[in-house]
Amino acid sequence: MTGPFVFADDLVVVSHRPGEVLGYLFVETRRHVAALDALTEPEAEAAARAARLAAVGLRAELDPEFVFSAIAGRSVPHFHQHVFVRHRGTPDELAWTEVEWAGAPRGDAADLCAKLRTYFP
């Protein structure tokens, strides 16, 4: 299940994770491949460009402490890159991958996605 869309072209789709915690995006290739090394060069370049633009937008719109990116997961045999923030004030005891906590900034992901679209050509 995907949340609101940020960007889509012939090679990649960028969407927000469903829910109210803001700042967790997925960059996915349109062609279904299981891993990074299965991407074509144009797909890899498009995914890298989309991840960078997503990070620029997240930093500008949310002013997080960090913007992380990871390619991980075994549950879905489809390439998807995670681009997500660590909000200022996140408790130190939470792992870098944990984004949901009681004080995490929440809001309308569709509104954030509309702002993030402006960072994509």
Side-chain angles (χ1 to χ4, degrees), residues 7 13 16 23 26 35 44 46 56 74 84 86-87 102 104 111 115:
F7 172 78
V13 175
H16 195 284
F26 297 108
V56 167
R74 296 182 354 199
F84 57 99
R86 182 171 181 95
H87 291 286
D111 287 345
K115 291 175 184 174

Side-chain angles (χ1 to χ4, degrees), residues 24 26 33-36 70-82:
Y24 199 120
F26 297 108
V33 298
L36 177 63
I71 299 170
R74 296 182 354 199
S75 61
V76 178
H78 177 63
F79 173 83
H80 55 284
Q81 183 170 354
H82 305 250

Side-chain angles (χ1 to χ4, degrees), residues 25-109:
L25 305 179
F26 297 108
V27 176
E28 301 177 75
T29 55
R30 288 205 181 257
R31 187 172 67 93
H32 289 264
V33 298
L36 177 63
D37 58 331
L39 297 176
T40 65
E41 190 169 317
E43 288 169 332
E45 290 172 350
R49 184 172 36 261
R52 181 188 167 280
L53 292 172
V56 167
L58 288 170
R59 176 150 325 269
E61 296 300 326
L62 298 177
D63 188 34
E65 184 176 7
F66 297 103
V67 178
F68 294 121
S69 177
I71 299 170
R74 296 182 354 199
S75 61
V76 178
H78 177 63
F79 173 83
H80 55 284
Q81 183 170 354
H82 305 250
V83 181
F84 57 99
V85 301
R86 182 171 181 95
H87 291 286
R88 295 182 189 285
T90 300
D92 287 340
E93 63 271 11
L94 294 181
W96 68 277
T97 56
E98 293 184 60
V99 297
E100 296 201 31
W101 47 282
R106 297 177 189 279
D108 186 343

